[in-house]
């Protein structure tokens, strides 16, 4: 039971309130109101996405969402996200959200669900059947203070992503994602869905995102999302045949400089604990860890 809280389906006009709660809980995660509205209002039917909010005293105080992972060939994989404003915890809001989300996932055929859990929420998650699988490290840097930019290798041209054909970017993203550390392979990325959710979504700032191009092929890229004076590195990837040439370090260095020129004062990123090469690059760039979350899994009944 909640204390004076009302849980209802989220709507697009909740975007500002959800963004404010998210920033209060995760100062190191960047999502603009426009990107939040898109997340609430645009989803693939196969994802069976459910978004909920909780209100108390007319104020939006919590978020909960769940759906199926449609970018993997592993069937029945779900994802869950719950966060409650610090001033409104221990009132049963998170429990009520979790119950509804887990029920929804079971009804749509999920066999397990994944969540990333802040240290403050670890006990809550474990009490609801979640168990640890991996660590996700979050770090931040001031993009105005960076080491010298690495040289650009011969045969490589640096471009902003708004100069690319989306098919070029998709091809690189789909290949690079195959090696992304995860509990389920990211091996089923539909182009039309990618185009709507990633390329044409409001989160991606293609003018700040950088690609290293060899001929007509994107060899490496880094995708940048922004919200006011903060930036988020959504994905940095290098296709296998171009690895070991320092391209990821180069494109991130260039992108961060463009962020600084655009008025960004804080840039954040996340790395799975198993992704040693990317952790080393971010350490070189000056990123410093601000939080570690646990990636947890919970089985769901049939």
């Amino acid at each position: 039971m909640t204390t004076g809280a009302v849980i209802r389906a989220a709507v697009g006009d909740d975007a500002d309130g959800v963004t404010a709660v998210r920033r209060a809980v995760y100062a190191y995660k960047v999502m603009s109101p426009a990107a939040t509205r898109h997340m609430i209002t645009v989803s693939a039917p196969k994802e069976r996405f459910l978004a909920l909010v909780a209100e108390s005293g007319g104020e939006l105080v919590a978020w909960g969402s769940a759906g199926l992972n449609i970018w993997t060939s592993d069937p029945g994989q779900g994802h869950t996200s719950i966060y409650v404003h610090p001033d409104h915890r221990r009132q049963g809001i998170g429990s009520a959200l979790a119950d509804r989300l887990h029920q929804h996932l079971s009804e749509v055929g999920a066999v397990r669900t994944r969540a990333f859990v802040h240290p403050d929420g670890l006990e809550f998650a474990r009490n609801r059947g979640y168990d640890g699988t991996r660590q996700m490290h979050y770090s931040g840097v001031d993009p105005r203070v960076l080491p010298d930019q690495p040289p650009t290798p011969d045969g490589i041209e640096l471009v902003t992503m708004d100069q690319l054909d989306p098919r070029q970017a998709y091809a690189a993203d789909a290949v690079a994602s195959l090696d992304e550390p995860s509990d389920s392979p990211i091996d089923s990325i539909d182009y039309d869905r990618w185009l709507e959710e990633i390329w044409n979504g409001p989160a991606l700032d293609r003018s700040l995102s950088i690609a290293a191009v060899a001929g007509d092929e994107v060899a490496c890229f880094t995708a940048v999302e922004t919200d006011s004076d903060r930036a988020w590195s959504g994905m940095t990837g290098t296709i296998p045949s171009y690895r070991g040439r320092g391209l990821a370090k180069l494109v991130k260095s260039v992108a961060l400089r463009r962020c600084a020129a655009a008025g960004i004062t804080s840039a954040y990123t996340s790395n799975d604990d198993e992704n040693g090469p990317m952790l080393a690059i971010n350490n070189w760039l000056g990123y410093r860890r601000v939080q570690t979350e646990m990636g947890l899994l919970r089985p769901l009944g049939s």
Side-chain angles (χ1 to χ4, degrees):
M1 297 294 291
T2 61
T3 303
V6 175
I7 294 175
R8 60 169 175 79
V11 297
D13 287 345
D14 292 322
D16 286 342
V18 172
T19 302
V21 174
R22 180 184 176 92
R23 186 159 185 169
V25 177
Y26 307 112
Y28 49 91
K29 293 183 180 180
V30 177
M31 183 179 286
S32 69
T36 301
R37 176 181 288 271
H38 188 264
M39 175 180 64
I40 293 170
T41 59
V42 180
S43 63
K46 290 191 298 184
E47 188 179 2
R48 303 299 297 273
F49 185 66
L50 175 65
L52 303 172
V53 293
E55 291 179 318
S56 180
E59 177 186 4
L60 197 152
V61 299
W63 162 269
S65 65
L68 297 174
N69 181 354
I70 61 174
W71 284 9
T72 182
S73 61
D74 194 4
Q77 304 307 303
H79 54 83
T80 306
S81 174
I82 298 172
Y83 44 91
V84 181
H85 192 284
D87 294 341
H88 294 269
R89 292 176 182 166
R90 300 190 181 279
Q91 300 177 23
I93 297 173
S95 297
L97 288 168
D99 289 346
R100 289 185 55 173
L101 295 172
H102 293 154
Q103 179 182 355
H104 170 74
L105 286 170
S106 294
E107 290 172 350
V108 300
V111 297
R112 69 175 183 176
T113 187
R114 183 185 189 189
F116 287 101
V117 180
H118 191 278
D120 290 349
L122 191 56
E123 181 181 2
F124 173 90
R126 293 202 187 282
N127 288 340
R128 283 152 187 83
Y130 285 86
D131 199 7
T133 59
R134 57 196 336 115
Q135 289 186 327
M136 184 68 74
H137 303 300
Y138 295 83
S139 55
V141 68
D142 184 339
R144 300 167 296 182
V145 184
L146 298 170
D148 292 341
Q149 182 174 311
T152 302
D154 292 341
I156 295 294
E157 180 186 5
L158 298 177
V159 300
T160 54
M161 277 197 181
D162 55 9
Q163 300 176 65
L164 296 177
D165 182 280
R167 284 281 183 183
Q168 292 176 288
Y170 167 77
D173 193 8
V175 171
S177 294
L178 293 173
D179 295 330
E180 188 78 2
S182 180
D183 298 298
S184 297
I186 307 172
D187 60 356
S188 186
I189 304 176
D190 176 77
Y191 174 71
D192 290 335
R193 181 66 198 145
W194 176 91
L195 193 68
E196 181 176 33
E197 182 173 333
I198 304 299
W199 189 255
N200 291 328
L204 179 65
D205 189 327
R206 298 202 297 267
S207 70
L208 298 180
S209 303
I210 300 295
V213 179
D216 293 330
E217 184 177 42
V218 173
C220 179
F221 66 92
T222 188
V224 175
E225 304 172 13
T226 58
D227 177 26
S228 183
D229 60 350
R230 300 183 304 156
W232 174 261
S233 178
M235 170 69 172
T236 300
T238 307
I239 66 174
S241 57
Y242 288 92
R243 289 175 184 165
R245 300 178 62 183
L247 295 181
K249 181 185 289 187
L250 174 62
V251 296
K252 286 207 73 169
S253 179
V254 173
L256 287 170
R257 283 172 165 79
R258 290 186 66 86
C259 285
I264 301 296
T265 57
S266 300
Y268 297 94
T269 192
S270 64
N271 296 105
D272 190 281
D273 191 56
E274 295 181 3
N275 195 347
M278 203 67 232
L279 285 166
I281 289 171
N282 288 330
N283 288 338
W284 177 83
L285 285 163
Y287 281 89
R288 294 296 176 261
R289 192 168 299 174
V290 296
Q291 188 58 268
T292 294
E293 295 185 6
M294 289 295 298
L296 305 180
L297 292 172
R298 179 190 191 273
L300 297 163
S302 57

